[in-house]
Amino acid sequence: MAQLYSSMKPTPVLKDELDIVIPTIRNLDFLEMWRPFFEQYHLIIVQDGDPSRTINIPKGFDYELYNRNDINRILGPKSSCISFKDSACRCFGYMVSKKKYIYTIDDDCFVAKDPSGKEINALEQHIKNLLSPSTPHFFNTLYDPYGDGADFVRGYPFSMREGAITAVSHGLWLNIPDYDAPTQLVKPLERNSRYVDAVMTIPKGTLLPMCGMNLAFDRELIGPAMYFGLMGDGQPIGRYDDMWAGWCVKVICDHMGWGVKTGLPYIWHSKASNPFVNLRKEYNGIFWQEEAVPFFQSVTLPKECDSVQRCYTELAKLVKEKLGKVDPYFIKLADGMVTWIEAWDELNAPNSKKRGH
């Protein structure tokens, strides 16, 4: 049964049911701008890089801070599955959270304004998206039929209007677009000023390039599949962490009958990363994605995969079998996927207290 949601009612704030996860290597001054929207929530901050460095966090926020030493202490040998010197380390925050929902944001993202000049409460819109159903099985040409001022169009089957549970809400960005390095190099001055007032469900069978800088999801539902892979330090690839998670998540959501939404809310992405540094990180990924995407497009999970963990373990096996031929890295990544699930289950077992400071 889909979650019922009326766009006319005020959006629940889910104060006690949602954690905000932030990966960072710097002081979190950006939180000042988000204070009106974030202050009532619990933050999980995953500090990347040198664990001896002290980062400043503005006063008044309720937070937990984890660095590499904490990750090693809490996960032990299984800490090998958490990336180092890459924003993929954020998925450790998903693992140690005990809340139903997660919102994750990068530390170079600020509050955007809609065309009327009003500041956008990104978290409120993500919550709206997650609490209203999705329509993965039949596309509604008026975008999200559960949004304000919208409905199902003529010809939409009445038997399908209850929709499906929404597992993921994928938000967008104004200002600096989320481009790969080659596109950055040929369009160095391009900025996104196009605000599209729409949310849509990505159809079943269609993959997406998921961006982790403005993303919310139902952790209880899809959390075990939100693994951002082995990236960054010591790995032959970077900047594909959220892409990898997105491909895995979408395949599993399609199998389980859940929905993924994209569109609103927008945030303001303030900082363009260096395209030459990015090219070095992405170089292998640009080649490998031409093999990985057809692999995910062709994956069929067996009926016995009736939980996210079973789906993900099966995916890991198929990654090793099919993509291991492309490069040995994928064998290592598949092993990381299995370790991630083991660590997730260990930390999230009933009555598990192994966490935190």
Side-chain angles (χ1 to χ4, degrees), residues 244 290-299 315 318-319 322-323:
W244 184 261
E290 304 304 322
E291 302 277 354
V293 169
F295 160 75
F296 282 105
Q297 286 174 323
S298 64
V299 162
L315 258 184
L318 293 169
V319 165
K322 306 285 187 188
L323 293 178

Side-chain angles (χ1 to χ4, degrees), residues 23-60:
T24 193
I25 56 168
R26 57 180 68 87
N27 295 334
L28 294 182
D29 303 328
F30 92 114
L31 284 172
E32 286 296 353
M33 184 179 246
W34 287 102
R35 189 179 287 278
F37 308 118
F38 286 2
E39 201 167 28
Q40 62 184 316
Y41 292 94
H42 180 68
L43 312 181
I44 298 178
I45 299 159
V46 185
Q47 180 183 343
D48 199 10
D50 181 4
S52 66
R53 181 168 179 253
T54 301
I55 60 170
N56 294 325
I57 298 156
K59 290 180 180 172

Side-chain angles (χ1 to χ4, degrees), residues 3 89 184 245 262 273 297 331 336 345:
Q3 301 163 9
C89 67
Q184 274 185 301
T262 187
S273 46
Q297 286 174 323
I331 296 171
D345 284 348

Side-chain angles (χ1 to χ4, degrees), residues 79-126:
S79 64
S80 61
C81 71
I82 304 296
S83 299
F84 187 53
K85 294 189 178 173
D86 192 277
S87 66
C89 67
R90 79 178 78 217
C91 62
F92 177 76
Y94 311 159
M95 189 186 277
V96 295
S97 169
K98 297 298 181 191
K99 304 285 176 63
K100 179 170 172 52
Y101 299 101
I102 294 284
Y103 175 52
T104 186
I105 185 171
D106 284 1
D107 61 12
D108 60 352
C109 294
F110 296 91
V111 178
K113 292 181 179 176
D114 68 18
S116 73
K118 184 186 174 191
E119 288 195 332
I120 297 165
N121 184 345
L123 200 42
E124 180 183 47
Q125 179 64 49
H126 275 299

Side-chain angles (χ1 to χ4, degrees), residues 224-238:
M226 271 291 178
Y227 176 48
F228 277 45
L230 284 171
M231 305 277 158
D233 199 45
Q235 308 302 337
I237 185 174

Side-chain angles (χ1 to χ4, degrees), residues 2-8 11 124-153 156 160-170 196-203 259-265:
Q3 301 163 9
L4 297 176
Y5 171 80
S6 167
S7 61
M8 304 309 290
T11 307
E124 180 183 47
Q125 179 64 49
H126 275 299
I127 291 167
K128 268 188 186 180
N129 293 348
L130 288 170
L131 294 187
S132 62
S134 293
T135 53
H137 306 293
F138 201 90
F139 190 81
N140 191 59
T141 51
L142 199 56
Y143 304 115
D144 190 346
Y146 307 100
D148 295 330
D151 210 327
F152 293 95
V153 296
Y156 201 103
M160 301 176 83
R161 294 189 184 194
E162 189 182 67
I165 291 172
T166 301
V168 180
S169 170
H170 178 257
V196 181
D197 186 8
V199 177
M200 67 174 76
T201 298
I202 299 167
V260 176
K261 291 185 177 184
T262 187
L264 301 179

Side-chain angles (χ1 to χ4, degrees), residues 17 22 27 62 64 74 92-93 113 122 136 140 147 162 176 197 206 216 222 231 233 258 269 284 351 353 355:
E17 295 179 75
I22 305 166
N27 295 334
D62 170 41
E64 293 167 81
I74 293 165
F92 177 76
K113 292 181 179 176
N140 191 59
E162 189 182 67
I176 306 293
D197 186 8
T206 302
I222 198 65
M231 305 277 158
D233 199 45
W258 303 330
H269 184 209
N284 285 322
N351 306 317
K353 291 180 181 175
R355 74 168 283 188

